[in-house]
Amino acid sequence: MSCQKAALELNTGSQPGPKSPERTEDVTAFEDYGTGLLENQLSVCDFVKIQKAFESPEPRKIICMSREDFTQKMTEIVGWGTKEEYGELFDKVDVAQDGFINWDKLTSFILLELNKQDERAKATVVPQWKDLEFLPVKHKDNIQKVIFLKSSSHYLTISKEGLLAIWGENLKLQETFPITSDATKLKHLWVTSLVSLENVNKIAVAFTSKEICFYDLLSKEEFACQYKLQGLKGTPICMDYWYDPLDANESILSFGDITGKVQAIAFTAALISLFERPASACEDGEATMTINWAELLSGCHKCCHILEHKLHQGDWVRQVTYNASLDAIISSTTSNTKSVVLAWREKSKKHLHMTSFNIAQGIHAFDYHSRLNLIATAGINNKVCLWNPYVVSKPVGVLWGHSASVIAVQFFVERKQLFSFSQDKVLRLWDIQHQLSIQRIACSFPESQDFRCLFHFDEAHGRLFISFNNRLALLAMKSDASKRVKSHEKAVTCVLYNSILKQVISSDTGSTVSFWMIDTGQKIKQFTGCHGNAEISTMALDANATRLLTGSTDGTVKVLIYFAKLSTFHEKLVT
């Protein structure tokens, strides 16, 4: 971002900020605070003057100013503001206390301030929601997981009885499949968790039969079971999967069980094969390969290794996740001792050392925000606590407001906000920086007192899913049309690409044709009323890309002929 653009965002007026009529009383607390700061009152013209003061007549020579020089020259050059105000600005810019600043230091400070203001603005934006909607599910038992498959733009839901449902991106139910490792034992077999292995196009499903099955999404058969991991000592009830976006061969499947054990399989060649197929195995690629947990522990499979710990000491592990920025496996239980355990991977990557948090009455769930370096916990004691993962003695913040046990938390990562949901079916949204509740929603959720709740926020699509036993509720965010960037005033009807001139051509229902540079996105030409008031319904380029043909709903076709790269056009009606 250039200095002039930065200045423009701070103050678009050309007059000094204190007397600018463009400031209204309709401002937030952050804007009130920022209005009095000198750097927020400087206009584009002011910054141009300041830039010239730092310019040297000699090329490549950098002009530096001391505090005294800066305050003296700025009051003279800019023409408003006191020496004290410019002195304060100098001190903010000179964070290293070198005693001088230059143009680069000043612009870096301004850009940083703009970024901070943008972050503050995002943190205080309260989303608007559409009416609560219940999706037409076919699940008969508790919904255990909701996931979104980026590769195919589909949602998957799975329920306790083993019914897998596939939803389109528009949330229309497309298909359902029974997922079970043994159809004859369906009544005695429960699904406990589901994760997506996006890098290898698979899903993993955990069962009460102490096994995890891996299903291939690209198989000729629908959800063919490719691997079956058996012989686990405890029933896995929660799972998580991570892979390295820079090296998709590196991935980790972590899971927790009812014995308090946290285990993880670290794959090193996931794109080739998750597990090694024995030489005696059937050559049929669709056949299910059975792996025993003891084989993995003994190191028979060279393409993966096991990590595990028992620090939860018999308490059911309710949630587990691996975080790459911490290089640690985080897990939680409802116990008030060792409620949250961080198992840090050592340099060898094959051993763990543990730290734990003791939280009064235990927690139901947690979430981690890597940029804020905060763990949020959903407390059984009605509190939402914020923890620094390196400080186990006490939380860095406590969010008060719920009057019942908090059963779910999830960060709104981009806005640095936090969702929390409590047993009395109250949803809250928190501003993390100020630790304040900025939104409370008490929707007409089902009145059942005893319910199994699943909470999942799909940030990319602005969709919040909350399940109540076998029912799935949806809260969808309203799109903010006022902040949406529009290239046309009316609906776009057609888009073409001119590969010779490297331009994009677009038309709309208002009979407007626009030309854009593909490299910069800059609009270079626009023609309005090409077909009067008729909608342009189609466009085409000739073989040489020198003629543009447009057709409209009034039945006419027109030809626009290029001359000198859009400098002029010749238009004629085709009869």
Side-chain angles (χ1 to χ4, degrees), residues 47-345:
F47 274 100
V48 171
K49 294 175 184 177
I50 295 171
Q51 184 180 20
K52 289 181 179 178
F54 280 98
E55 289 178 351
S56 171
E58 301 178 23
R60 298 183 180 179
K61 184 177 180 181
I62 299 175
I63 297 293
C64 297
M65 293 187 192
S66 65
R67 193 178 194 277
E68 185 178 351
D69 291 340
F70 182 76
T71 55
Q72 181 66 36
K73 288 184 179 180
M74 292 307 107
T75 51
E76 295 174 358
I77 293 170
V78 178
W80 64 272
T82 65
K83 288 186 176 181
E84 289 75 16
E85 289 177 315
Y86 284 106
E88 289 178 7
L89 176 58
F90 180 95
D91 294 337
K92 293 176 185 176
V93 176
D94 186 25
V95 288
Q97 296 183 346
D98 296 325
F100 65 87
I101 63 171
N102 54 34
W103 176 245
D104 286 343
K105 283 188 176 182
L106 179 60
T107 52
S108 296
F109 168 76
I110 295 298
L111 290 173
L112 184 60
E113 284 300 302
L114 282 174
N115 184 62
K116 288 180 180 178
Q117 289 181 23
D118 185 50
E119 292 293 332
R120 291 191 195 111
K122 285 181 182 178
T124 54
V125 171
V126 178
Q128 300 301 309
W129 304 93
K130 298 177 183 178
D131 293 336
L132 182 72
E133 175 187 357
F134 281 91
L135 300 180
V137 300
K138 292 188 178 181
H139 299 293
K140 304 300 181 185
D141 214 328
N142 294 345
I143 296 173
Q144 304 286 55
K145 201 67 176 284
V146 178
I147 61 175
F148 180 71
L149 300 176
K150 295 178 183 177
S151 57
S152 60
S153 296
H154 285 85
Y155 289 95
L156 298 183
T157 58
I158 197 165
S159 52
K160 187 176 176 181
E161 81 272 19
L163 187 67
L164 181 72
I166 305 174
W167 307 76
E169 195 169 9
N170 58 359
L171 291 177
K172 299 295 182 184
L173 182 61
Q174 295 182 347
E175 293 179 275
T176 58
F177 295 95
I179 295 288
T180 173
S181 62
D182 189 343
T184 61
K185 298 179 180 179
L186 184 60
K187 292 183 180 179
H188 306 288
L189 185 68
W190 290 350
V191 167
T192 58
S193 189
L194 162 74
V195 289
S196 169
L197 285 62
E198 287 275 1
N199 60 326
V200 291
N201 293 296
K202 293 176 176 54
I203 59 172
V205 182
F207 297 92
T208 52
S209 55
K210 300 180 182 179
E211 60 186 14
I212 298 174
C213 295
F214 297 80
Y215 298 88
D216 189 357
L217 298 179
L218 302 181
S219 171
K220 296 175 184 177
E221 300 177 17
E222 292 290 354
F223 296 100
C225 182
Q226 187 175 12
Y227 302 107
K228 185 186 296 183
L229 178 59
Q230 296 180 329
L232 299 172
K233 300 303 180 184
T235 299
I237 55 174
C238 57
M239 291 195 299
D240 176 71
Y241 184 76
W242 166 89
Y243 71 90
D244 187 345
L246 301 178
D247 181 7
N249 277 307
E250 299 286 336
S251 58
I252 294 177
L253 174 68
S254 53
F255 54 95
D257 65 25
I258 61 174
T259 70
K261 186 180 289 186
V262 173
Q263 298 160 108
I265 308 174
F267 300 101
T268 56
L271 296 180
I272 301 172
S273 179
L274 294 179
F275 305 101
E276 293 180 8
R277 185 174 290 272
S280 59
C282 177
E283 293 297 325
D284 184 4
E286 299 296 325
T288 300
M289 175 180 166
T290 301
I291 299 109
N292 193 282
W293 182 249
E295 296 175 18
L296 300 183
L297 289 175
S298 65
C300 293
H301 293 259
K302 303 302 181 184
C303 54
C304 62
H305 61 269
I306 303 301
L307 299 164
E308 59 181 355
H309 74 78
K310 304 177 183 178
L311 205 62
H312 289 297
Q313 298 175 344
D315 295 308
W316 287 28
V317 181
R318 301 291 181 171
Q319 186 180 348
V320 66
T321 186
Y322 170 77
N323 184 270
S325 62
L326 294 176
D327 198 13
I329 301 168
I330 312 173
S331 55
S332 68
T333 70
T334 53
S335 171
N336 59 0
T337 58
K338 299 182 176 62
S339 310
V340 177
V341 171
L342 278 82
W344 311 82
R345 288 209 293 172

